[in-house]
């Protein structure tokens, strides 16, 4: 292999360590002399590449929490002292260690990728050039993910609002003595950096696709499709050029022979399938069981959503809003196992049914009411008689107390077992189901999309960055923004009929200009739930986050124009900037938000 550099400064991340302080403003801790580099270039290069990917493992945990917890697919059992609770409540602060970890490891990955690029930029070795393309992919992806968290939605004055600092690489020996770092670039400039890197990756990666564990040409194309979709404006005021670009790159991936949509049956097994064996997986952050020694599974992504194999807190559950979306076509009856699954996405939800001392289930009517304080909502479970004519509460001795007549809901099919009840002076609709175990009064609808990878009864999960199903939905949204409703309907139906059945397909009368945007967004929410996309999807299209369902979260709507849509820059990053350099904080009120 060609001698690709004369002197290289390497961080501890080469050997599995990390920078000792806040990302980009610290001199690398290890030094490797020229003769050592010359003698060990192939090993060195691969070690550095592995170190770059290793940064993503730690980064992916807060990445998921920022994106998913701020959405409306989940709820938490109660208030928490954990820093992630701020993501749920939108009580933004700059002193949040999970936010800091997302920033730190994002920039560590950028620095590691940039160091490799600088080291080997003059190589003519085709294999090395292809691996350099992987570095450009990771760097471009990181800038995009950082900017969508810390920068305003692209449709809001991208040339004025701030994104993140563009700092590619660690400083040289000469620079360290008089270090100066740039302030945040604009959102537009940050997106352009991401696009430049991803386009370079697309050109440079020539190694054929092997699996989703490493970056590929198609991974770059998939990320470009998403980046351009984020730039494509709102449904009311679309940017046609960027919408067209989102379609172009989605097409490149969809047309690739390396991926195909799996059957409904295989899709329902996707959480249990190792990504290298799943034909829709484009890029994931590969995790191994060895990454989780001892009780570490408690602290993984799936650990908050469920308890699997005795591991996990199981304190966050599918929201009532998401359950209603799953049941919209027809009710999913989890009591019947897979035979009761109507929408394949319901396979990733597991209600925790309780049994009595004899191992028997108890039938109840479960419905939702406003809470007593009028500040939110609560679940109610009332036992029901065999002929479905009444429900009742029970006293401290488990004896019937207050009785309430119930009747079939005529707007749903009788076999779905939806019933109405007049309860405390108001009428509600609920479902007959088995009584569920409660945690702080909330039924435990476990989320298992982030558990059981490789068929292990554990919380093993490789966070999803890009899959083929997203490409169809990216393309559908872009088609709507271009006014091409026929193609948009076709793409939505590809995903929808796979998840439900052919009868669920939309036709021209049910998918029109009046509701196309809503139907695309709904399918995207159903399909991409628990992949850290939802909150960003709402705001980038100028939407409003509505969370009027049980949970301790505030039920006030969050508008796309709210200052809390962006996270604060971590205070540790601001404090670590060298004297004479400025890292500007995000607005602390709506008055500071620039919209146009």
């Amino acid at each position: 292999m060609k001698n690709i550099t004369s002197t290289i400064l390497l961080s501890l991340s080469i050997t599995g360590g990390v920078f000792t302080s806040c990302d980009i403003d610290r001199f690398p801790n290890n030094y490797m002399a020229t003769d050592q580099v010359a003698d060990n270039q192939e090993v060195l290069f691969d070690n550095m590449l592995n170190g770059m990917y290793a940064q993503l493992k730690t980064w992916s945990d807060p990445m998921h929490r920022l994106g998913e917890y701020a959405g409306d697919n989940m709820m938490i059992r109660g208030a928490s002292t954990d820093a992630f609770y701020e993501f749920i409540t939108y009580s933004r602060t700059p002193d949040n260690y999970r936010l800091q970890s997302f920033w730190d490891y994002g920039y560590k990955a950028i620095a590691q990728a940039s160091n490799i690029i600088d080291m080997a930029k003059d190589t003519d070795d085709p294999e090395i050039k292809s691996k350099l393309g992987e570095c450009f992919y990771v760097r471009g992806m990181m800038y995009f993910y950082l900017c969508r968290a810390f920068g305003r939605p692209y449709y809001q004055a991208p040339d004025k609002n701030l994104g993140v600092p563009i700092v590619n690489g660690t400083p040289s020996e000469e620079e360290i003595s008089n270090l100066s770092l740039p302030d945040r670039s604009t959102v537009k400039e940050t997106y352009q950096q991401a696009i430049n890197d991803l386009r370079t990756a697309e050109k440079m990666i020539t190694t054929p696709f092997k699996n989703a564990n490493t970056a590929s040409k198609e991974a770059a194309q998939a990320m470009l499709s998403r980046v351009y979709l984020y730039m494509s404006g709102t449904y009311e005021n679309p940017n046609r050029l960027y919408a067209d670009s989102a379609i172009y790159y989605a097409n490149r991936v969809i047309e690739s022979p390396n991926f195909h949509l799996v059957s409904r049956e295989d899709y329902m097994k996707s959480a249990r399938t190792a990504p290298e064996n799943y034909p829709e997986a484009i890029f994931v952050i590969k995790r191994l069981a060895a990454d989780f020694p001892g009780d570490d599974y408690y602290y993984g992504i799936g650990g908050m959503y469920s308890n699997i194999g005795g591991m996990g807190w199981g304190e966050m559950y599918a929201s009532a809003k998401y359950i209603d979306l799953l049941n919209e076509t027809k009710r999913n009856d989890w009591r019947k196992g897979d035979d009761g699954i109507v929408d394949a996405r319901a396979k990733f939800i597991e209600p925790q049914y309780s049994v009595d001392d004899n191992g028997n289930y108890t039938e109840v009517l479960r419905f939702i009411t406003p809470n007593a304080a009028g500040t939110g909502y609560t679940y109610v479970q009332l036992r029901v008689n065999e002929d479905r004519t009444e429900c009742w509460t029970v006293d401290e001795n488990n004896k019937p107390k207050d009785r309430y007549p119930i009747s079939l809901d005529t707007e749903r099919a009788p076999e779905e077992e939806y019933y109405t009840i007049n309860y405390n002076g108001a009428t509600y609709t609920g479902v007959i189901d088995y009584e569920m175990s409660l945690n702080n009064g909330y039924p435990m609808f476990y989320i298992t999309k982030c558990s059981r990878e490789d068929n292990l009864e554990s919380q093993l999960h490789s966070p999803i960055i890009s899959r083929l199903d997203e490409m169809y939905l990216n393309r559908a949204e872009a088609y709507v923004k271009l006014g091409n409703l026929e193609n948009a309907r076709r793409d939505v139906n590809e995903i929808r009929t796979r998840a439900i059945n052919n009868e669920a397909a939309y036709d021209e009368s049910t998918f029109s200009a009046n509701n196309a945007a809503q139907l695309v967004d709904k399918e995207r929410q159903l399909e991409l739930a628990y992949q850290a996309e939802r909150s960003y999807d709402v705001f980038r299209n100028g939407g409003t986050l509505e969370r009027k369902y049980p949970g301790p979260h505030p039920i006030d709507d969050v508008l796309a124009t709210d200052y809390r849509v962006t996270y604060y820059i971590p205070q540790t990053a601001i404090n670590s900037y060298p004297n004479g350099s400025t890292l500007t904080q995000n607005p602390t009120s709506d008055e500071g938000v620039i919209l146009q």
Side-chain angles (χ1 to χ4, degrees):
M1 187 166 74
K2 182 180 177 181
N3 188 350
I4 51 183
T5 189
S6 58
T7 303
I8 301 174
L9 301 172
L10 303 177
S11 73
L12 280 174
S13 55
I14 294 174
T15 55
V18 296
F19 297 158
T20 59
S21 188
C22 186
D23 357 289
I24 53 179
D25 59 330
R26 291 292 179 266
F27 191 65
N29 295 285
N30 279 358
Y31 172 85
M32 185 171 285
T34 304
D35 57 349
Q36 293 175 286
V37 172
D39 292 341
N40 299 278
Q41 288 187 71
E42 291 189 29
V43 174
L44 168 66
F45 193 93
D46 286 340
N47 283 346
M48 291 184 73
L49 202 66
N50 291 337
M52 176 189 71
Y53 283 116
Q55 304 295 349
L56 303 185
K57 292 186 178 183
T58 305
W59 166 84
S60 65
D61 181 278
M63 177 275 292
H64 178 96
R65 300 179 198 272
L66 265 70
E68 198 61 50
Y69 294 2
D72 52 5
N73 295 326
M74 48 72 64
M75 54 84 62
I76 189 172
R77 62 172 291 280
S80 174
T81 58
D82 194 292
F84 64 56
Y85 194 60
E86 293 181 2
F87 308 156
I88 299 171
T89 60
Y90 282 78
S91 53
R92 302 292 192 233
T93 68
D95 297 310
N96 184 302
Y97 79 90
R98 292 190 183 276
L99 200 61
Q100 177 188 341
S101 181
F102 174 73
W103 175 281
D104 285 358
Y105 282 91
Y107 271 106
K108 287 173 184 177
I110 288 172
Q112 186 79 344
S114 297
N115 287 344
I116 301 172
I117 292 168
D118 289 344
M119 178 184 82
K121 60 186 177 183
D122 296 325
T123 184
D124 53 12
D125 185 313
E127 182 178 352
I128 295 299
K129 289 182 71 173
S130 187
K131 290 181 178 180
L132 282 179
E134 297 178 38
C135 299
F136 279 105
Y137 167 81
V138 168
R139 192 170 75 180
M141 180 183 72
M142 286 296 101
Y143 277 123
F144 169 66
Y145 271 81
L146 287 165
C147 191
R148 76 175 186 174
F150 297 109
R152 299 296 306 177
Y154 197 86
Y155 80 92
Q156 298 175 3
D159 56 340
K160 299 175 183 177
N161 283 308
L162 297 180
V164 295
I166 296 175
V167 185
N168 296 329
T170 51
S172 66
E173 290 181 277
E174 294 76 17
E175 294 169 328
I176 202 70
S177 59
N178 189 29
L179 185 62
S180 177
L181 292 174
D183 197 357
R184 299 162 63 189
S185 298
T186 65
V187 167
K188 184 176 182 179
E189 291 167 339
T190 310
Y191 269 69
Q192 191 59 56
Q193 172 71 41
I195 288 171
N196 292 344
D197 281 343
L198 292 168
R199 282 179 168 175
T200 301
E202 180 193 18
K203 293 176 182 177
M204 292 187 70
I205 301 176
T206 56
T207 302
F209 179 86
K210 294 180 180 178
N211 57 57
N213 300 347
T214 56
S216 63
K217 179 185 294 291
E218 292 92 342
Q221 292 166 337
M223 191 57 60
L224 281 164
S225 175
R226 189 191 300 175
V227 171
Y228 280 118
L229 193 71
Y230 271 61
M231 299 169 69
S232 67
T234 64
Y235 290 108
E236 295 75 21
N237 188 26
N239 184 304
R240 297 179 61 86
L241 175 63
Y242 295 143
D244 188 68
S245 294
I247 292 170
Y248 173 84
Y249 281 106
N251 282 339
R252 301 287 77 74
V253 181
I254 292 170
E255 293 166 1
S256 169
N258 295 314
F259 312 99
H260 65 266
L261 291 177
V262 301
S263 67
R264 182 178 190 273
E265 180 182 2
D266 286 345
Y267 176 79
M268 291 168 66
K269 300 174 184 175
S270 59
R272 291 178 173 269
T273 306
E276 55 268 30
N277 298 323
Y278 188 62
E280 291 186 37
I282 301 169
F283 185 69
V284 303
I285 310 298
K286 178 62 178 177
R287 304 306 302 266
L288 303 170
D291 296 335
F292 298 94
D295 291 343
D296 279 6
Y297 273 129
Y298 272 94
Y299 303 94
I301 293 171
M304 286 305 299
Y305 292 146
S306 62
N307 182 297
I308 304 294
M311 291 284 182
W313 307 106
E315 295 181 355
M316 290 182 180
Y317 313 123
S319 69
K321 183 175 183 177
Y322 189 70
I323 296 293
D324 285 346
L325 280 180
L326 289 172
N327 290 334
E328 191 174 77
T329 303
K330 187 178 180 182
R331 180 192 170 189
N332 296 276
D333 193 342
W334 285 280
R335 294 173 297 180
K336 301 175 182 178
D338 284 358
D339 290 339
I341 298 297
V342 175
D343 189 317
R345 280 82 61 118
K347 179 65 175 177
F348 309 128
I349 309 298
E350 296 183 9
Q352 300 300 293
Y353 293 121
S354 57
V355 295
D356 61 22
D357 293 340
N358 297 317
N360 298 318
Y361 296 108
T362 301
E363 287 196 329
V364 298
L365 178 70
R366 185 170 54 253
F367 55 100
I368 294 171
T369 74
N371 63 21
T375 58
Y377 299 87
T378 187
Y379 281 99
V380 179
Q381 293 190 129
L382 301 181
R383 297 187 180 183
V384 63
N385 62 356
E386 289 187 12
D387 59 4
R388 310 287 200 274
T389 58
E390 66 175 8
C391 297
W392 59 85
T393 59
V394 295
D395 60 20
E396 61 274 8
N397 297 315
N398 214 27
K399 300 296 184 180
K401 188 180 176 184
D402 300 319
R403 294 180 180 271
Y404 302 88
I406 62 174
S407 59
L408 270 171
D409 179 10
T410 57
E411 295 184 3
R412 304 292 297 235
E415 64 269 19
E416 294 186 74
E417 296 189 297
Y418 279 84
Y419 281 77
T420 61
I421 181 173
N422 188 284
Y423 180 77
N424 291 343
T427 300
Y428 303 99
T429 300
V431 294
I432 302 295
D433 199 3
Y434 293 146
E435 187 174 40
M436 286 182 61
S437 300
L438 304 178
N439 191 335
N440 202 29
Y442 299 110
M444 300 164 64
F445 285 97
Y446 276 0
I447 299 161
T448 58
K449 196 174 185 179
C450 304
S451 308
R452 297 199 183 100
E453 186 173 304
D454 208 16
N455 257 333
L456 299 175
E457 281 301 304
S458 72
Q459 299 291 3
L460 182 63
H461 171 66
S462 294
I464 299 164
I465 300 299
S466 295
R467 292 206 311 196
L468 183 61
D469 49 0
E470 182 201 344
M471 297 301 102
Y472 283 89
L473 295 170
N474 288 359
R475 195 167 69 174
E477 179 181 324
Y479 276 137
V480 171
K481 290 176 176 176
L482 292 177
N484 190 335
L485 299 188
E486 177 60 29
N487 281 345
R489 180 167 63 88
R490 180 198 64 205
D491 281 341
V492 170
N493 282 340
E494 283 281 351
I495 302 303
R496 184 170 178 78
T497 57
R498 189 266 296 271
I500 305 173
N501 56 38
N502 289 335
E503 295 178 1
Y506 297 117
D507 59 25
E508 292 180 359
S509 66
T510 54
F511 190 98
S512 67
N514 293 328
N515 66 357
Q518 176 187 352
L519 296 180
V520 168
D521 286 351
K522 179 179 71 174
E523 211 62 39
R524 191 175 181 93
Q525 181 174 5
L526 283 165
E527 187 75 9
L528 305 184
Y530 316 115
Q531 294 177 205
E533 300 297 324
R534 175 59 181 164
S535 61
Y536 302 116
D537 277 348
V538 172
F539 299 133
R540 66 178 175 80
N541 269 322
T544 298
L545 183 72
E546 299 177 352
R547 299 187 294 175
K548 294 177 174 58
Y549 53 79
H553 55 270
I555 62 171
D556 295 339
D557 293 345
V558 183
L559 279 67
T561 56
D562 195 302
Y563 78 96
R564 297 171 299 169
V565 164
T566 55
Y567 291 95
Y568 285 141
I569 303 297
Q571 191 62 44
T572 51
I574 294 175
N575 293 343
S576 68
Y577 250 47
N579 291 334
S581 298
T582 299
L583 184 57
T584 302
Q585 184 56 276
N586 273 323
T588 58
S589 70
D590 288 345
E591 285 71 26
V593 175
I594 303 172
L595 297 178
Q596 56 186 351

